[in-house]
């Protein structure tokens, strides 16, 4: 690079990849959870209620009662490396960096909490990344997840004088790389069980039913993922939706209601969460602990939770395939 002696230093141009997941508190205590929930539940795409009505409810009721309960749940799944979601997403970034080598600089960020999207983009730019692929790790598109990542990136770009060129990883709910990884992971998990489940239940994160009526494709994409996976596995895959919140009508059937009904019927069940790229509170505590307890107390025979793709070989093969495809023309 030729530049005048008095010209500021400029890093050699590079390509960056930013993996983005939802987020997590910094610690399993009420104060950290309150800070995290305050940011998460203030996002207008997450809670589509006018702020003048919502903020008094959030600040006056939810953030004074929910953090203690949620902190207890987080404490049950916290690890020596911190939050499972944070540790796994970090491991995914490190594994992708090893796979891509010198071809790209890989970073990870959380939409809510730390590491935040803005500083992560700044770090990539400082490393010379003039082209950045932002990869929201959400297989199924939802305005409350995928779109809010795009919003946050756009908001940060407004603060930059020299903006990098950007690409976004599109939803991959029916992509063969994703289905290959799910098939391998679920088949391996089922083969390791000492029982044959009567029901294979795919639990996706819930959304208010009104989002479907407003045109959000999330529900349809969840159903399509389950249908395509069912065809590959050669057995039925039931769909349910978890993590209901508030009084609004949510997508159905609800995971907790379905687990209770299956328990009362004396069934054996294996549950997995194909909409989550990494195990987190919603999978490890809500499904593997509370869901199992509810199912067995209702009379169920056998219960198994099958882990997410995480940073295991099938999941990382999928992420590398998707990322390399979207970096087409950018990598040397």
């Amino acid at each position: 690079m030729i530049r005048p002696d008095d010209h500021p230093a400029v890093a050699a141009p590079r390509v960056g990849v930013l993996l983005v997941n939802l987020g997590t508190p910094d610690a399993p205590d009420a104060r950290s959870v309150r800070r995290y929930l305050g940011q998460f539940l203030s996002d207008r795409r997450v809670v589509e209620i006018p702020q003048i009505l919502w903020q008094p409810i959030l600040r006056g009721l939810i953030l004074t009662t929910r953090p203690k309960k949620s902190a207890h749940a987080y404490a049950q799944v916290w690890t020596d490396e911190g939050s499972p979601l944070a540790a796994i997403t970090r491991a995914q970034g490190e594994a992708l960096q090893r796979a891509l080598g010198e071809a790209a600089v890989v970073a990870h960020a959380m939409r809510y909490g730390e590491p935040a999207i803005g500083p992560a983009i700044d770090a990539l730019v400082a490393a010379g990344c003039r082209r950045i692929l932002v990869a929201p790790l959400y297989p199924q598109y939802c305005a409350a997840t995928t779109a809010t990542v795009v919003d946050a990136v756009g908001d940060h770009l407004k603060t930059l004088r020299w903006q990098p060129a950007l690409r976004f990883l599109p939803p991959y709910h029916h992509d063969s790389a994703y289905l290959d990884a799910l098939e391998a992971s679920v088949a391996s998990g089922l083969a390791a069980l000492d029982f044959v489940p009567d029901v294979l239940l795919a639990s996706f994160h819930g959304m208010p039913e009104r989002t479907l009526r407003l045109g959000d494709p999330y529900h349809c994409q969840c159903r399509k993922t389950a249908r395509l996976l069912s065809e590959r596995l050669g057995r039925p895959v039931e769909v349910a939706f978890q993590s209901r919140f508030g009084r609004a009508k949510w997508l159905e059937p609800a995971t907790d209601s379905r687990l209770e009904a299956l328990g009362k019927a004396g069934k054996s069940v294996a549950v997995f969460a194909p909409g989550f790229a990494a195990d987190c509170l919603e999978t490890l505590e809500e499904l593997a602990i509370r869901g199992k307890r509810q199912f067995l107390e209702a009379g169920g025979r056998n219960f198994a939770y099958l882990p997410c793709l995480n940073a295991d070989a099938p999941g990382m093969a999928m992420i590398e395939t998707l990322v390399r495809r979207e970096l087409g023309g950018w990598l040397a």
Side-chain angles (χ1 to χ4, degrees):
M1 184 181 297
I2 300 175
R3 60 181 174 82
D5 293 339
D6 61 347
H7 193 285
V10 178
R14 305 184 70 184
V15 172
V17 178
L18 181 61
L19 303 181
V20 184
N21 216 319
L22 187 73
T24 177
D26 297 323
D29 56 55
R31 181 177 181 180
S32 299
V33 173
R34 183 177 299 109
R35 182 168 57 248
Y36 167 71
L37 289 179
Q39 182 185 11
F40 174 49
L41 296 177
S42 291
D43 190 324
R44 297 178 184 226
R45 286 197 184 270
V46 173
V47 180
E48 298 181 282
I49 298 175
Q51 291 296 298
I52 194 171
L53 300 176
W54 172 241
Q55 283 298 320
I57 299 173
L58 176 62
R59 304 292 168 180
L61 176 62
I62 295 173
L63 293 183
T64 58
T65 59
R66 190 177 179 89
K68 184 176 180 180
K69 180 179 179 181
S70 294
H72 174 71
Y74 274 107
Q76 295 182 71
V77 301
W78 213 259
T79 72
D80 292 341
E81 295 180 308
S83 158
L85 179 66
I88 294 168
T89 307
R90 182 169 58 249
Q92 289 170 326
E94 292 169 351
L96 182 61
Q97 183 67 80
R98 290 192 296 271
L100 297 180
E102 296 296 320
V105 181
V106 180
H108 73 280
M110 298 293 171
R111 175 60 185 90
Y112 313 101
E114 301 294 336
I117 288 175
I121 291 176
D122 289 342
L124 289 173
V125 170
C129 297
R130 304 309 319 159
R131 300 179 178 187
I132 298 175
L133 169 65
V134 179
L137 296 178
Y138 308 120
Q140 295 79 23
Y141 177 93
C142 181
T145 53
T146 315
T148 194
V149 171
V150 178
D151 291 344
V153 171
D155 288 342
H156 187 69
L157 287 185
K158 295 176 184 177
T159 71
L160 302 182
R161 177 170 295 278
W162 190 0
Q163 296 178 338
L166 287 178
R167 290 178 180 174
F168 289 90
L169 175 69
Y172 48 95
H173 66 284
H174 65 327
D175 193 285
S176 60
Y178 171 56
L179 294 170
D180 287 345
L182 280 182
E183 180 183 5
S185 178
V186 171
S188 175
L190 291 175
L193 300 180
D194 59 3
F195 68 95
V196 177
D198 300 308
V199 176
L200 180 58
L201 183 65
S203 181
F204 294 89
H205 199 288
M207 288 297 296
E209 188 182 76
R210 66 186 296 270
T211 62
L212 173 61
R213 298 196 303 271
L214 291 172
D216 197 309
Y218 178 73
H219 176 266
C220 300
Q221 292 184 358
C222 291
R223 291 283 182 181
K224 187 170 185 177
T225 293
R227 175 175 60 79
L228 294 175
L229 181 60
S230 174
E231 293 172 0
R232 284 169 167 253
L233 293 173
R235 62 168 296 164
V237 175
E238 288 196 20
V239 172
F241 297 91
Q242 64 183 88
S243 307
R244 290 176 294 178
F245 176 77
R247 298 180 179 179
K249 184 175 178 58
W250 283 56
L251 295 177
E252 294 181 337
T255 298
D256 55 357
S257 299
R258 190 68 188 121
L259 285 176
E260 184 164 356
L262 290 171
K264 289 179 178 178
K267 300 293 186 179
S268 293
V269 64
V271 184
F272 68 111
F276 295 84
D279 275 308
C280 54
L281 181 74
E282 286 79 7
T283 64
L284 298 175
E285 192 276 334
E286 186 177 351
L287 294 179
I289 297 177
R290 273 193 289 140
K292 178 179 181 180
R293 182 171 61 241
Q294 180 186 25
F295 173 79
L296 294 178
E297 289 178 351
R301 287 188 294 124
N302 298 289
F303 177 96
Y305 169 70
L306 308 182
C308 294
L309 295 176
N310 296 328
D312 295 335
M316 288 313 307
M318 175 201 71
I319 291 176
E320 182 181 355
T321 296
L322 296 176
V323 165
R324 285 189 181 275
R325 182 189 304 163
E326 296 306 316
L327 290 177
W330 278 9
L331 294 182

